[in-house]
Amino acid sequence: MLKPQLQQSSQSTKTLIPSWNTNPLFLASFPINILNKNFRLKKKNNFGVRHNYNGANTTKAVVSSTVKSTSVKAVVTVQKQVNLSLSRGFDDIGDLLGKSLLLWIVAAELDHKTGIEKPGIRAYAHRGRDVDGDTHYEADFVIPEDFGEVGAILVENEHHKEMYVKNIVIDGFVHGKVEITCNSWVHSKFDNPDKRIFFTNKSYLPSQTPSGVSRLREEELVTLRGDGIGERKVFERIYDYDVYNDLGEANGNGDAKRPVLGGKELPYPRRCRTGRPRSKKDPLSETRSTFVYVPRDEAFSEVKSLTFSGNTVYSVLHAVVPALESVVTDPNLGFPHFPAIDSLFNVGVDLPGLGDKKSGLFNVVPRLIKAISDTRKDVLLFESPQLVQRDKFSWFRDVEFARQTLAGLNPYSIRLVTEWPLRSKLDPKVYGPPESEITKELIEKEIGNYMTVEQAVQQKKLFILDYHDLLLPYVNKVNELKGSVLYGSRTIFFLTPEGTLKPLAIELTRPPVDDKPQWKEVYSPNDWNATGAWLWKLAKAHVLSHDSGYHQLVSHWLRTHCCTEPYILASNRQLSAMHPIYRLLHPHFRYTMEINALAREALINANGIIESSFFPGKYAVELSSIAYGAEWRFDQEALPQNLISRGLAVEDPNEPHGLKLTIEDYPFANDGLVLWDILKQWVTNYVNHYYPQTNLIESDKELQAWWSEIKNVGHGDKRDEPWWPELKTPNDLIGIVTTIVWVTSGHHAAVNFGQYSYAGYFPNRPTVARSKMPTEDPTAEEWEWFMNKPEEALLRCFPSQIQATKVMTILDVLSNHSPDEEYIGEKIEPYWAEDPVINAAFEVFSGKLKELEGIIDARNNDSKLNNRNGAGVMPYELLKPYSEPGVTGKGVPYSISI
């Protein structure tokens, strides 16, 4: 470590600041006041700063003969990039001349004599050696003894191309190294002359900010908010809000137009503003383009490796899916028999349309794209999902149909029946009689007169999948679309003494249409009657398509991806990068905005994957807006409150998690509550460390602005709801933050990473029903055809070949963990590691997550838990914290990055 040294000066008695130097590099190294024309320099007798522009390219503190200084070295770690542009030559020359990066070290505190910021110490960083794929840039500084601690460092990129700066380490101070974690793109000065600000790893509440960086803290937030004007550029880091007005082709034909989501009629969370021009045909809508802006540091494509899931999704959407569409000439062609479905897993689909793209795809999606050695044909060959590997016919059985409501892909829809008879809340003048035709007599017959309906309701034995009122207003509109049939549906289950659910009845409803009255019919399991048994299988297919659509549009897209984007926007706009809550949340927000932008581009857009393959068709995302308005509540996004709201739990202080589950063997809830408690304890330890007094919460202006903006802007369509939590105490903050980190980690993992395992064999979870029930106003010919070919009727109801293969392809990559996945509690963030208290709390957090792995393994091996153990039954592993790469059906990453 370098020790303080005396530095002689030949001009020690006069200031060495050139009074009229207007070089911007020179001016930028001084406090902002020097840029004011009314500011006058005053001579000092102790020291000044000279900017040396000679070959050494350093800025040195020049001091009097009696003032000590310290020599320090800064090492900037930059991710190595492939740059084949014409500007590469200029940048190489800059590197040779030692002018790659220009750095300013900023003092943490103001000058105690003048009360103004101390002059920054400036130096060029020259290119050093390459280490582990990164490039080091080094700069030497001479720091006056009274400079004090480092508060921040300013960076100017002299290259013509942006750089990804990982960290900066300043070594040579008596008190040890100063580490500054960046992990950020630094734009070229030729794109934007403003310098980047990076604060040290120590976290501060606004009121505790060191005086020397207080102005920079505020200015950085102003920069990130932007001015709301103009189209955003690729290198910018501006976070602003907009409505979802870019899903349709506003300048195209009417079939590709989509309503604006966000506002009184169709409430919705806000997305990031791109500033793309508005459509001339529809001024409310934004024109679409191949480039979808996200703030530069939210992008993953050039940071993560080629195996990162985001690149895989992009490749599938832009190469594999178009190749599939070119092969399947008839988009309505279904599977002729079940062996044709099986062939997807052992023969595959020829993809001659890949062309030059195939070599790259072999690397990116090796699970899907395979070259058959004898013919060298390019084949889309699916791997058998875990569900059918264990039991090929499990999807056919009612016990598995029911089990998956508790331990499957969408464990968020099952609810307790709390009143009888069932009634619709919709307007009977529009939708017909509200009374359900699921009768008391039918239920009691199906449960073998074990108890009365009234007793079953009282004893909490009846449960429901209820998609009746949500879907019924869309039935007639969806049924006008080609190849799609929709009903409102209710499915009733009974909790057996073994702790499993038994399906009792399915009710399908069509509202009045044209001159036809409301149609509804109830189906029940009917193993002793062939016709009834096949009708039951067809009714299940319709319900499963409803559940698949709701899962994808609401449980998955809306409640995780979509609702999280406003949290990310508000956090970057209102919380400084040095704020402890920003640093707590940041790992949970990585890459979400980029994957959401990709979804708007090719997944949820007009005629995209979701619209073309899931039951609501062109109304898909609009339906998620209806669900947002009717169902979404921030307070009920917390797992305990969500379970209580669905009647699946009641508060009980004597139970391990303070809750008594209505269904004791509910794998999602059992594992989820353990994970929730682990997350909450980590957040509690963290928050209490930084907010030891209650008054610090209300006095934290950044924190209050952050929560206000989430409620009033990001989720502004719900701003007047009474259920928003207050933010006045540390406990309030703990509840809010735990809810957010649960949504981005546990909730998302539970509904995402099992998609291929459960839905890769699409008869288990069809995404659309393409034919009506045989009993709905059949002609004589239709009924005769069903009676003669019921299996063909089921296959015709399933998705078409192109729909099924597109969905299977995208579900495979959405379920995939990349080799560089970032799992909760696996690696500590540098900001956390520097604080001993937070470091210790993280060790506890990480240890508890490892314990959860063992808890889940033990539960899956418990033969008494029939919903996760049994012959051919898939173990429930979706909330196991860690996973190896690939499609594994387990692993909980920090963030929604896929």
Side-chain angles (χ1 to χ4, degrees):
M1 181 177 294
L2 296 173
K3 301 296 183 183
Q5 60 187 17
L6 290 177
Q7 186 176 65
Q8 300 294 326
S9 171
S10 60
Q11 305 180 51
S12 60
T13 59
K14 65 178 182 178
T15 183
L16 298 179
I17 300 176
S19 302
W20 305 110
N21 189 334
T22 58
N23 186 313
L25 298 181
F26 169 82
L27 294 176
S29 67
F30 288 91
I32 193 67
N33 298 15
I34 200 170
L35 303 181
N36 187 321
K37 65 182 180 180
N38 295 320
F39 179 80
R40 295 184 179 180
L41 293 174
K42 294 183 180 180
K43 291 185 178 181
K44 298 180 183 179
N45 294 324
N46 56 347
F47 80 95
V49 176
R50 175 169 55 200
H51 297 276
N52 189 344
Y53 292 96
N54 61 20
N57 291 322
T58 60
T59 298
K60 295 182 178 179
V62 181
V63 299
S64 71
S65 59
T66 60
V67 177
K68 296 179 180 179
S69 63
T70 301
S71 293
V72 301
K73 180 185 290 292
V75 177
V76 183
T77 301
V78 174
Q79 180 172 286
K80 199 170 184 178
Q81 295 175 256
V82 177
N83 181 6
L84 302 178
S85 65
L86 293 175
S87 64
R88 171 68 183 270
F90 295 107
D91 294 342
D92 288 345
I93 293 172
D95 285 346
L96 289 172
L97 295 176
K99 293 187 176 182
S100 303
L101 292 169
L102 191 53
L103 310 178
W104 281 262
I105 295 178
V106 179
E109 301 294 344
L110 297 175
D111 189 313
H112 69 279
K113 294 180 180 178
T114 65
I116 63 174
E117 295 172 14
K118 298 174 184 177
I121 311 299
R122 191 201 72 160
Y124 277 106
H126 61 274
R127 180 168 181 165
R129 59 197 179 100
D130 291 347
V131 179
D132 297 330
D134 297 324
T135 301
H136 284 182
Y137 291 84
E138 300 177 356
D140 296 309
F141 296 87
V142 177
I143 309 294
E145 184 183 46
D146 60 355
F147 187 80
E149 293 187 6
V150 174
I153 193 162
L154 308 185
V155 180
E156 182 176 83
N157 177 8
E158 304 295 300
H159 282 189
H160 290 74
K161 185 175 174 60
E162 64 185 357
M163 289 183 175
Y164 187 77
V165 178
K166 290 186 172 181
N167 60 48
I168 302 171
V169 178
I170 308 172
D171 194 9
F173 291 107
V174 175
H175 51 75
K177 295 179 181 179
V178 175
E179 297 192 18
I180 300 174
T181 302
C182 305
N183 290 327
S184 178
W185 291 100
V186 176
H187 56 258
S188 165
K189 72 174 185 180
F190 300 100
D191 289 328
N192 181 355
D194 293 341
K195 296 156 191 63
R196 286 296 311 278
I197 303 167
F198 295 106
F199 300 105
T200 61
N201 284 0
K202 188 173 181 180
S203 301
Y204 296 96
L205 300 181
S207 61
Q208 300 163 348
T209 309
S211 59
V213 292
S214 180
R215 174 182 60 84
L216 292 178
R217 178 173 185 150
E218 294 178 3
E219 288 184 356
E220 174 74 346
L221 286 174
V222 171
T223 297
L224 292 170
R225 291 174 197 141
D227 58 9
I229 298 173
E231 185 171 358
R232 300 271 66 88
K233 300 178 179 62
V234 65
F235 60 83
E236 291 182 322
R237 299 164 50 248
I238 293 175
Y239 296 78
D240 202 357
Y241 297 93
D242 208 342
V243 293
Y244 278 73
N245 61 353
D246 64 341
L247 301 181
E249 296 287 351
N251 292 326
N253 58 48
D255 184 58
K257 291 183 178 180
R258 296 295 178 268
V260 174
L261 304 183
K264 187 175 181 180
E265 291 187 8
L266 292 172
Y268 219 54
R270 297 302 187 260
R271 64 168 175 90
C272 182
R273 178 186 177 275
T274 68
R276 291 183 292 189
R278 296 297 180 95
S279 164
K280 293 181 180 179
K281 286 187 177 181
D282 179 11
L284 294 177
S285 296
E286 185 175 279
T287 55
R288 290 171 59 82
S289 61
T290 55
F291 167 64
V292 183
Y293 167 81
V294 294
R296 190 65 186 97
D297 285 341
E298 304 299 331
F300 52 60
S301 56
E302 295 181 59
V303 182
K304 306 289 278 184
S305 68
L306 278 176
T307 55
F308 181 61
S309 303
N311 293 310
T312 309
V313 175
Y314 188 90
S315 299
V316 166
L317 292 176
H318 290 83
V320 180
V321 168
L324 269 173
E325 292 173 334
S326 68
V327 170
V328 182
T329 55
D330 182 1
N332 298 309
L333 183 65
F335 289 88
H337 40 67
F338 280 94
I341 298 174
D342 295 338
S343 71
L344 296 173
F345 305 103
N346 50 49
V347 177
V349 180
D350 289 343
L351 290 181
L354 288 180
D356 296 336
K357 299 175 183 176
K358 64 182 179 183
S359 59
L361 287 171
F362 290 151
N363 295 324
V364 177
V365 282
R367 271 178 53 90
L368 291 173
I369 308 300
K370 295 177 174 63
I372 306 302
S373 57
D374 55 346
T375 63
R376 304 308 301 170
K377 287 183 178 180
D378 305 324
V379 173
L380 181 69
L381 183 63
F382 295 97
E383 295 195 10
S384 295
Q386 188 179 357
L387 181 80
V388 294
Q389 286 182 24
R390 287 178 172 269
D391 184 347
K392 183 177 179 180
F393 301 104
S394 62
W395 68 275
F396 219 57
R397 290 192 286 272
D398 290 345
V399 65
E400 182 65 15
F401 169 55
R403 189 190 74 85
Q404 288 184 27
T405 65
L406 303 173
L409 196 52
N410 183 31
Y412 273 102
S413 286
I414 191 77
R415 308 180 74 89
L416 179 70
V417 174
T418 57
E419 57 184 22
W420 196 271
L422 303 174
R423 286 177 59 89
S424 169
K425 294 180 174 62
L426 297 175
D427 185 354
K429 295 179 181 177
V430 177
Y431 299 103
E435 295 81 13
S436 169
E437 290 196 358
I438 301 177
T439 64
K440 167 184 170 69
E441 291 74 22
L442 173 65
I443 296 299
E444 292 175 355
K445 174 186 173 184
E446 289 298 322
I447 61 178
N449 295 314
Y450 182 75
M451 61 178 65
T452 66
V453 165
E454 291 78 12
Q455 289 172 326
V457 171
Q458 183 181 13
Q459 295 179 30
K460 300 183 178 181
K461 298 294 185 182
L462 291 184
F463 297 84
I464 186 171
L465 280 182
D466 191 352
Y467 297 124
H468 185 275
D469 285 9
L470 177 67
L471 299 185
L472 205 61
Y474 279 85
V475 166
N476 290 335
K477 291 191 288 187
V478 170
N479 289 347
E480 291 175 357
L481 304 176
K482 186 176 181 180
S484 185
V485 174
L486 181 62
Y487 299 104
S489 69
R490 298 184 180 103
T491 307
I492 301 295
F493 302 86
F494 177 73
L495 180 61
T496 69
E498 289 76 26
T500 58
L501 291 178
K502 170 183 169 61
L504 304 180
I506 292 173
E507 180 179 40
L508 300 178
T509 306
R510 183 204 67 203
V513 57
D514 299 328
D515 59 345
K516 297 179 180 179
Q518 181 196 70
W519 174 90
K520 65 176 64 169
E521 189 155 342
V522 177
Y523 305 89
S524 57
N526 201 334
D527 295 334
W528 55 87
N529 179 291
T531 302
W534 277 106
L535 289 173
W536 172 250
K537 291 176 176 62
L538 283 160
K540 280 201 301 183
H542 279 274
V543 169
L544 286 167
S545 74
H546 304 164
D547 194 61
S548 294
Y550 184 89
H551 158 261
Q552 202 64 263
L553 292 166
V554 181
S555 299
H556 184 198
W557 161 254
L558 173 68
R559 291 179 58 185
T560 64
H561 289 260
C562 187
C563 286
T564 294
E565 189 149 337
Y567 310 149
I568 302 172
L569 292 169
S571 296
N572 283 278
R573 288 167 54 85
Q574 301 299 342
L575 297 178
S576 166
M578 66 166 64
H579 197 292
I581 299 304
Y582 176 89
R583 287 175 168 173
L584 175 59
L585 290 172
H586 184 254
H588 294 277
F589 293 158
R590 288 186 183 125
Y591 316 122
T592 301
M593 291 180 67
E594 175 83 341
I595 202 69
N596 286 1
L598 181 58
R600 301 204 315 273
E601 181 187 356
L603 280 174
I604 64 170
N605 61 303
N607 301 315
I609 298 291
I610 297 297
E611 286 196 1
S612 63
S613 304
F614 283 78
F615 78 81
K618 64 186 290 186
Y619 304 104
V621 187
E622 181 182 326
L623 183 66
S624 74
S625 166
I626 300 301
Y628 175 73
E631 300 176 4
W632 188 85
R633 293 176 48 154
F634 180 87
D635 60 330
Q636 292 181 0
E637 292 305 287
L639 178 60
Q641 281 65 42
N642 177 270
L643 294 170
I644 292 170
S645 72
R646 292 187 284 123
L648 273 296
V650 294
E651 292 184 359
D652 186 341
N654 297 318
E655 292 292 320
H657 310 288
L659 292 180
K660 181 175 177 57
L661 293 177
T662 312
I663 301 174
E664 292 184 5
D665 182 13
Y666 185 180
F668 163 69
N670 298 135
D671 298 352
L673 287 171
V674 179
L675 179 56
W676 170 271
D677 281 355
I678 294 171
L679 290 168
K680 187 174 182 180
Q681 188 58 58
W682 157 240
V683 172
T684 298
N685 292 338
Y686 191 100
V687 167
N688 287 340
H689 176 61
Y690 287 103
Y691 295 92
Q693 291 90 38
T694 298
N695 66 318
L696 290 174
I697 295 290
E698 289 197 79
S699 65
D700 187 336
K701 60 181 182 180
E702 288 183 5
L703 189 71
Q704 294 298 327
W706 166 77
W707 185 232
S708 176
E709 189 164 288
I710 286 173
K711 295 185 296 181
N712 296 307
V713 183
H715 287 277
D717 295 337
K718 296 258 187 177
R719 65 170 62 90
D720 296 325
E721 297 289 352
W723 39 254
W724 283 105
E726 293 183 326
L727 182 49
K728 295 182 177 180
T729 69
N731 282 339
D732 295 339
L733 180 58
I734 289 165
I736 290 167
V737 171
T738 305
T739 297
I740 292 174
V741 302
W742 161 258
V743 168
T744 63
S745 57
H747 180 153
H748 181 258
V751 300
N752 182 75
F753 291 105
Q755 291 193 84
Y756 191 75
S757 297
Y758 282 102
Y761 187 74
F762 69 86
N764 183 60
R765 288 188 67 79
T767 57
V768 64
R770 297 190 302 134
S771 60
K772 66 175 185 172
M773 289 296 295
T775 52
E776 183 197 348
D777 305 329
T779 63
E781 293 78 11
E782 289 173 338
W783 184 253
E784 182 180 3
W785 176 80
F786 163 69
M787 294 293 287
N788 290 331
K789 298 183 177 180
E791 180 179 317
E792 191 172 327
L794 182 61
L795 287 163
R796 186 175 293 184
C797 185
F798 283 159
S800 67
Q801 291 188 27
I802 185 61
Q803 287 174 325
T805 50
K806 281 199 300 186
V807 170
M808 291 166 66
T809 302
I810 198 66
L811 293 188
D812 184 281
V813 296
L814 290 179
S815 304
N816 189 69
H817 287 297
S818 66
D820 42 12
E821 191 78 87
E822 298 171 28
Y823 298 100
I824 54 171
E826 188 174 40
K827 294 180 181 178
I828 191 168
E829 294 291 303
Y831 317 109
W832 306 341
E834 287 204 7
D835 188 305
V837 174
I838 300 303
N839 188 35
F842 180 84
E843 290 299 319
V844 174
F845 175 53
S846 182
K848 290 291 185 183
L849 290 168
K850 292 181 176 66
E851 289 178 13
L852 177 57
E853 293 258 319
I855 291 171
I856 291 175
D857 286 339
R859 287 172 172 172
N860 287 329
N861 289 320
D862 188 341
S863 60
K864 296 189 295 295
L865 301 179
N866 295 315
N867 290 319
R868 63 195 307 161
N869 179 285
V873 172
M874 276 180 58
Y876 188 76
E877 298 184 309
L878 288 171
L879 293 176
K880 288 190 74 172
Y882 307 115
S883 171
E884 61 273 15
V887 178
T888 63
K890 58 186 175 182
V892 182
Y894 274 111
S895 66
I896 305 165
S897 59
I898 189 64

